[in-house]
Amino acid sequence: MQDYRANHRIRARDVFLVDASGQKLGVVSLNDAMAAARQAGLDLVEVSGNTNPPVCKILDFGKFRYELAKRDREAKRHNLAAKVKEMKFHVNIDPHDYATKMRHAEEFLWKGMKVKVVMAFRGREMQHQNLGQDLVKTIRNDLKLVGLADADPKLIGKNITMMLTPLPVKKRVRRWTTEEAEGAYEEEAGENGAPEEAQDTPEKTPSPSSTPS
């Protein structure tokens, strides 16, 4: 978030003053601008320091910083939402590898990213598409506490694909991971205080489909 000068931190001798209602009062001395801000019971904030003289506005500096921080969080959230992480699976995936991928997928969704699940078939595995469909549905169910499928899994070429979109922040619940994800709580903690604790890692890892013959 950009650092704005306010009150006695403003260095200019003269400023272009805008009052609390948005009315432009023109160029005045810094002392007069400070006096006007005190009379209004507000702060004098340098909102544009690149002009000569700098533009200063009379406002509530605390509220001003809160709104800026809120916009920054919204922008970060939208940037994360635009990111898509691809997770590739095979029908004969090892249970340990499956659990590892679940942890990664949950972490991405927890941070607000979309996850594209790709079930890739190799060679004769195409004869057992039902196993792939079943595994994709298992993945969808195992991640339902943090993400929701945009649509049913689709077969495209030799792959079954499914896109998962994160649930709203307050509805996400950890299942596969317990450590706090960096930035995961920013929006919630910034406005509502401390985040909820993560859920415990499940005791038993679901077994994916066996290798087709």
Side-chain angles (χ1 to χ4, degrees):
M1 183 176 65
Q2 181 178 346
D3 185 25
Y4 288 87
R5 296 191 183 100
N7 301 320
H8 294 291
R9 292 186 60 207
I10 300 173
R11 300 170 183 171
R13 178 176 300 177
D14 298 314
V15 301
F16 186 94
L17 183 62
V18 180
D19 69 13
S21 65
Q23 182 178 354
K24 299 177 180 178
L25 303 181
V27 179
V28 301
S29 70
L30 177 61
N31 288 337
D32 288 344
M34 291 280 291
R38 285 195 298 270
Q39 186 176 1
L42 297 170
D43 302 292
L44 183 68
V45 180
E46 185 181 85
V47 294
S48 178
N50 296 326
T51 59
N52 188 20
V55 178
C56 291
K57 187 172 182 179
I58 297 173
L59 47 77
D60 183 331
F61 191 42
K63 184 177 180 180
F64 177 70
R65 286 178 60 84
Y66 172 80
E67 292 296 331
L68 288 176
K70 184 177 180 180
R71 286 203 297 267
D72 285 346
R73 289 195 300 271
E74 285 293 319
K76 183 175 182 180
R77 183 171 63 85
H78 287 306
N79 288 338
L80 285 173
K83 293 183 179 180
V84 177
K85 293 291 187 177
E86 182 174 302
M87 302 293 297
K88 185 174 288 187
F89 295 81
H90 295 285
V91 293
N92 60 344
I93 186 170
D94 177 80
H96 175 76
D97 292 339
Y98 179 86
T100 298
K101 286 182 178 290
M102 286 296 98
R103 287 193 292 271
H104 289 317
E106 181 177 87
E107 197 69 36
F108 295 142
L109 290 165
W110 186 264
K111 290 182 178 181
M113 305 177 196
K114 289 189 174 184
V115 171
K116 182 180 181 181
V117 176
V118 178
M119 177 60 56
F121 294 102
R122 297 170 294 191
R124 295 176 58 190
E125 290 177 351
M126 281 296 292
Q127 301 174 18
H128 303 273
Q129 296 178 23
N130 60 312
L131 297 179
Q133 288 281 1
D134 290 343
L135 184 52
V136 171
K137 291 176 182 177
T138 297
I139 294 168
R140 179 176 61 186
N141 185 66
D142 284 344
L143 294 173
K144 66 182 180 181
L145 298 180
V146 287
L148 183 68
D150 292 351
D152 290 334
K154 294 181 180 179
L155 178 64
I156 302 177
K158 293 185 177 181
N159 300 326
I160 296 175
T161 62
M162 177 182 63
M163 186 70 73
L164 296 174
T165 296
L167 291 174
V169 173
K170 295 178 182 179
K171 293 185 178 180
R172 297 175 202 163
V173 178
R174 286 183 179 275
R175 176 186 176 187
W176 297 91
T177 55
T178 55
E179 68 277 9
E180 182 175 322
E182 181 181 358
Y185 299 116
E186 284 191 5
E187 180 181 5
E188 188 173 359
E191 298 179 24
N192 301 321
E196 296 180 358
E197 293 184 357
Q199 298 297 305
D200 293 335
T201 304
E203 297 180 359
K204 189 174 182 180
T205 300
S207 299
S209 303
S210 58
T211 307
S213 57

